[in-house]
Amino acid sequence: TGVLPFRGDTTANLYESILHRAPVAPVRLNPEVPAELERIINKALEKDRELRYQAASEIRADLKRLKRDTDSRNSIIATGTLPAVRHRGWTWKALTAAVLFVMIIAGIILVESPAKVPVVTGVTQITRDGMAYKTGLLTDGTRIYFSAVKDKYLVIAQASANAGDTALLNTQAMGLYAADLSADGSEILAVKHSGTDLAGEFWAVPLPTGTPRKLGNDMGKTAVWSRDGQWMVYVRGTDLFVARRDGSGSRKIVTIDGQLQAPAFSPDGKLIRFTKRQATANVMSLWEVRLNGTELRELFPGFSESQVCCGKWSHDGKYFVFRVGSGEIWATREAAGMFDRASGKPFQLTTGPLAYFTPTPSPDGKRVYVIGQQMRGELQKYNPKLNQFEPLLGGISAGELDFSPDGKWVTYISLPDQILFRSRTDGSDKIQLTFPPLRASLPKWSPDGKQIAFTGIRKGKSSKVFLVSAQGGVPMELLPEEIGEVDVNWSPDGKRIAFGRIANVADVLTPSLQLVDLATCTVSAMPGSDGFFSPHWSPDGRYLAALSTDSRTLMLFDWQTGKWSQWLTEPDAISFPRWSANSKSMIFSSMYPEPGFRRIRLGQTKSELFVRTGDLKIYHGIWGAWTGLGPNDTPTLVRDISSEEIYALELQNPL
């Protein structure tokens, strides 16, 4: 038949012959091999990826051409037009067998040879609008759409994909978050949230203008449309759902043991990838499942990083880009052709200098749009005489302050590296109390001023309550358990500690409050506290206040009566409530009805404006836009002087 003989070769020997030795000329193995077939074979075996066949269709075209020429020659010989030549029977069947073998060999080389991966050759800044909290990056190749905060409102904005001014869509009053863009670019799939509630309504926003319309009656955190426009997939808590494009006909696909976020449809609509967040272990990983709910699997088990998040496919499906760690962009090669197969090995696209988020490939694959951040804050306090905020501790990049009971010392968390420091209130005698990789947050002085309790976050482990001496030393875990612990607070007599516990991943959205008796080291659940977090003891010890899961309701526990009561309900989030020094009111920050600090007094059910913050941009840390109180109930905050804009990563060897 003319098929090249590899007599007696095992598969391993075949690989060795192909990959590590120069191929033998076909004519040496069979002198009757036509010159054109030899050229086809040599091109299939070419080591240089740029010179050999790039697709099976190219081999097929050359094969058909060879058959045509062979049939033509046979016809000429049969009619006697040319002198007869010896013909060895290179039939169509023989040619097919030969080229099939060539295709197998070419496939082996294409699979085994290292592919050229995309390389970032430059970074182009797209926006210069200074808007905060950008997220939800979308593009049709011509325009870029994203969500941000503008004048206290969550808005959807747009800009040219080639840089230019930013304009707002007519959604300011609705508070919509941009989740996805339809394949034809005619609509944005948006989500409307209230407070810190993770379940919101789904809306379709027409482009370039039009009236948004609600989709279905179900609620979720975020959603995406399939490329063919037939389906909508959305997440709610630990569940993944699929519905028709308009939100009707919803059904559950799968339930997992963790929070779901950032779903992404494959271009062919067969797979859904998403981020699984295990809040109690501080881990994020990428998973995939088929649209029918089968073949659930983790993408990169054993990956060295514990924070792998938020991916999207390239337009042709050949690559999948995602975020790793604190802001680097990675990608992986996907199977998208006859000889393609998923590499299974992620490769890194960026290494700073900014932290990059929300990677979004352009339709032509030549760019990946990202949100680039350089985080920095300026610590400030309110000056009532000047009616304005001014630098505190020299305006260092730090926040989450807590002052010692005697008012002589202060602890704070450096930003963005989350290291705990202690110093005098004038900044002198500073010492570092925690060290990486432990990240600290929300420190609280003990009533005797000897210890500091804080929430510690470690890579791949649950957040825990730690105690450290105010003079320095090794931080020690309060309890020997691997259960999520947050929001530590001391009782005024120093005998007990209250904190929030996340019992397990499935209950991550329904925390409860726990009490630790420091004398006996016993732990007990606070009655009736399911669904509450952020406990705060009043300085006089009479009350304990806490927030509901959506942060819109302030609850009050009276230690004398042993009962909870609803104290205050706001139209939006109640952020970082703090007791006044006299225990007669609580002060918190809010964006509505205007940005500022608000106060609620005991015995009242309506809050009042305490201090305006106006257009001041507040730094957004891991727990949100932190605000606090200093001595004499002085409002403190961190002014955000970060850089946060949209950039394009320019690629060599496009996605």
Side-chain angles (χ1 to χ4, degrees):
T1 64
V3 177
L4 300 181
F6 278 87
R7 300 181 180 90
D9 275 5
T10 64
T11 301
N13 290 335
L14 179 59
Y15 272 51
E16 176 70 20
S17 299
I18 295 169
L19 298 176
H20 302 292
R21 295 201 300 265
V24 177
V27 72
R28 288 183 55 189
L29 299 174
N30 188 338
E32 304 299 330
V33 172
E36 178 60 14
L37 180 57
E38 181 175 21
R39 185 192 69 80
I40 294 173
I41 294 171
N42 288 337
K43 186 173 181 180
L45 299 179
E46 172 62 53
K47 291 289 186 179
D48 190 331
R49 290 180 61 87
E50 301 296 330
L51 298 179
R52 71 167 172 260
Y53 285 110
Q54 302 298 306
S57 58
E58 297 180 20
I59 301 178
R60 181 174 180 272
D62 283 352
L63 171 61
K64 292 183 68 176
R65 188 179 298 109
L66 176 60
K67 177 182 181 298
R68 181 195 63 195
D69 294 346
T70 301
D71 290 346
S72 176
R73 172 172 291 188
N74 289 342
S75 175
I76 292 173
I77 291 173
T79 58
T81 305
L82 291 177
V85 295
R86 187 179 182 185
H87 178 56
R88 289 290 184 179
W90 280 96
T91 64
W92 174 243
K93 183 181 294 186
L95 289 174
T96 301
V99 175
L100 178 61
F101 179 79
V102 171
M103 291 171 64
I104 294 172
I105 301 305
I108 293 172
I109 292 180
L110 287 171
V111 168
E112 295 296 323
S113 299
K116 290 184 178 179
V117 299
V119 176
V120 176
T121 58
V123 179
T124 302
Q125 186 168 345
I126 303 299
T127 63
R128 301 178 186 274
D129 51 52
M131 286 196 292
Y133 316 132
K134 289 184 173 71
T135 186
L137 193 56
L138 311 168
T139 185
D140 60 5
T142 302
R143 310 290 296 173
I144 293 175
Y145 303 93
F146 59 95
S147 297
V149 173
K150 176 74 171 177
D151 299 330
K152 81 179 181 181
Y153 291 108
L154 177 63
V155 300
I156 299 178
Q158 62 175 323
S160 168
N162 294 314
D165 293 337
T166 298
L168 302 183
L169 300 185
N170 188 27
T171 62
Q172 293 95 310
M174 298 187 66
L176 295 178
Y177 156 78
D180 196 19
L181 182 66
S182 63
D184 61 4
S186 65
E187 289 184 310
I188 288 177
L189 175 57
V191 188
K192 182 179 181 180
H193 293 281
S194 297
T196 55
D197 195 343
L198 296 183
E201 301 172 344
F202 301 121
W203 290 73
V205 181
L207 295 173
T209 60
T211 303
R213 71 182 191 281
K214 188 179 177 183
L215 301 177
N217 295 315
D218 210 349
M219 301 179 73
K221 181 177 181 179
T222 189
V224 290
W225 280 320
S226 60
R227 182 76 62 83
D228 62 9
Q230 297 297 309
W231 305 104
M232 179 177 78
V233 161
Y234 63 95
V235 300
R236 185 175 66 227
T238 62
D239 299 323
L240 184 69
F241 293 84
V242 64
R244 297 185 183 91
R245 188 184 191 279
D246 61 1
S248 64
S250 174
R251 63 178 175 84
K252 186 187 298 185
I253 298 176
V254 70
T255 298
I256 65 167
D257 58 343
Q259 286 187 32
L260 284 164
Q261 60 189 63
F265 253 117
S266 62
D268 62 8
K270 296 179 180 179
L271 288 174
I272 304 157
R273 287 184 177 169
F274 56 87
T275 299
K276 172 184 172 181
R277 181 173 182 265
Q278 293 176 281
T280 55
N282 190 32
V283 170
M284 289 192 293
S285 53
L286 286 170
W287 290 69
E288 74 175 17
V289 68
R290 292 197 170 273
L291 187 60
N292 61 8
T294 64
E295 299 184 36
L296 174 68
R297 73 179 186 96
E298 184 177 357
L299 287 189
F300 312 121
F303 193 51
S304 59
E305 289 286 345
S306 63
Q307 302 283 328
V308 185
C309 170
C310 313
K312 291 182 181 180
W313 267 278
S314 61
H315 193 75
D316 60 8
K318 290 185 177 180
Y319 290 90
F320 189 75
V321 295
F322 52 94
R323 192 191 89 209
V324 171
S326 59
E328 301 297 350
I329 305 303
W330 288 56
T332 186
R333 173 78 183 192
E334 300 291 307
M338 181 174 181
F339 289 130
D340 284 340
R341 73 174 184 184
S343 66
K345 296 181 180 180
F347 55 89
Q348 192 166 354
L349 288 176
T350 66
T351 53
L354 303 178
Y356 296 114
F357 301 90
T358 321
T360 303
S362 62
D364 62 9
K366 296 180 179 179
R367 286 177 156 186
V368 174
Y369 294 102
V370 292
I371 298 171
Q373 294 179 337
Q374 188 171 37
M375 305 301 291
R376 183 169 177 78
E378 182 182 76
L379 184 60
Q380 295 199 336
K381 67 176 181 179
Y382 180 67
N383 185 330
K385 294 181 179 180
L386 299 177
N387 192 28
Q388 65 183 31
F389 284 85
E390 60 186 20
L392 172 62
L393 293 176
I396 60 174
S397 185
E400 302 181 30
L401 276 64
D402 193 54
F403 292 84
S404 63
D406 60 11
K408 296 179 179 180
W409 300 89
V410 63
T411 60
Y412 56 85
I413 304 295
S414 62
L415 300 173
D417 46 11
Q418 297 292 128
I419 296 174
L420 176 62
F421 287 89
R422 181 230 71 189
S423 74
R424 293 189 181 273
T425 53
D426 62 2
S428 62
D429 294 335
K430 182 178 74 172
I431 63 172
Q432 183 173 337
L433 298 178
T434 64
F435 297 85
L438 179 65
R439 293 189 297 155
S441 65
L442 304 175
K444 291 290 185 296
W445 284 87
S446 63
D448 61 9
K450 294 181 179 180
Q451 295 186 91
I452 298 161
F454 65 93
T455 300
I457 303 172
R458 301 160 298 174
K459 182 179 179 180
K461 294 185 178 182
S462 303
S463 59
K464 294 295 299 295
V465 173
F466 285 81
L467 298 177
V468 65
S469 169
Q471 303 305 313
V474 179
M476 304 297 292
E477 293 184 18
L478 176 65
L479 298 173
E481 61 179 13
E482 276 305 316
I483 301 176
E485 302 166 357
V486 293
D487 292 324
V488 61
N489 198 264
W490 298 82
S491 64
D493 59 11
K495 295 180 179 180
R496 289 181 291 177
I497 282 180
F499 67 90
R501 174 184 279 175
I502 304 172
N504 55 62
V505 177
D507 293 337
V508 69
L509 299 182
T510 55
S512 62
L513 303 183
Q514 307 291 314
L515 298 175
V516 180
D517 187 314
L518 296 177
T520 62
C521 292
T522 56
V523 185
S524 60
M526 193 164 182
S529 67
D530 288 350
F532 299 161
F533 73 102
S534 190
H536 294 277
W537 242 298
S538 61
D540 63 8
R542 169 75 184 271
Y543 301 102
L544 186 140
L547 288 173
S548 61
T549 302
D550 64 5
S551 297
R552 290 185 291 174
T553 299
L554 186 63
M555 302 297 297
L556 192 65
F557 185 81
D558 188 333
W559 290 102
Q560 292 185 1
T561 64
K563 295 182 179 180
W564 288 97
S565 61
Q566 184 173 307
W567 187 4
L568 172 70
T569 297
E570 292 283 272
D572 207 77
I574 299 170
S575 299
F576 296 97
R578 295 289 187 272
W579 282 98
S580 62
N582 62 11
S583 299
K584 294 183 178 180
S585 63
M586 290 201 83
I587 298 169
F588 60 91
S589 58
S590 177
M591 295 294 291
Y592 299 93
E594 60 178 309
F597 289 79
R598 300 188 68 81
R599 177 170 57 193
I600 177 67
R601 300 177 187 271
L602 284 173
Q604 298 183 358
T605 58
K606 292 186 179 297
S607 65
E608 59 186 0
L609 183 65
F610 185 59
V611 170
R612 289 183 175 86
T613 55
D615 295 333
L616 193 65
K617 182 181 175 184
I618 302 177
Y619 185 96
H620 198 92
I622 60 174
W623 304 113
W626 175 86
T627 56
L629 292 181
N632 302 316
D633 297 339
T634 302
T636 59
L637 52 78
V638 184
R639 186 170 74 94
D640 194 343
I641 55 174
S642 303
S643 167
E644 182 178 276
E645 299 294 351
I646 295 173
Y647 296 83
L649 307 178
E650 310 289 352
L651 300 178
Q652 179 182 343
N653 306 318
L655 294 178

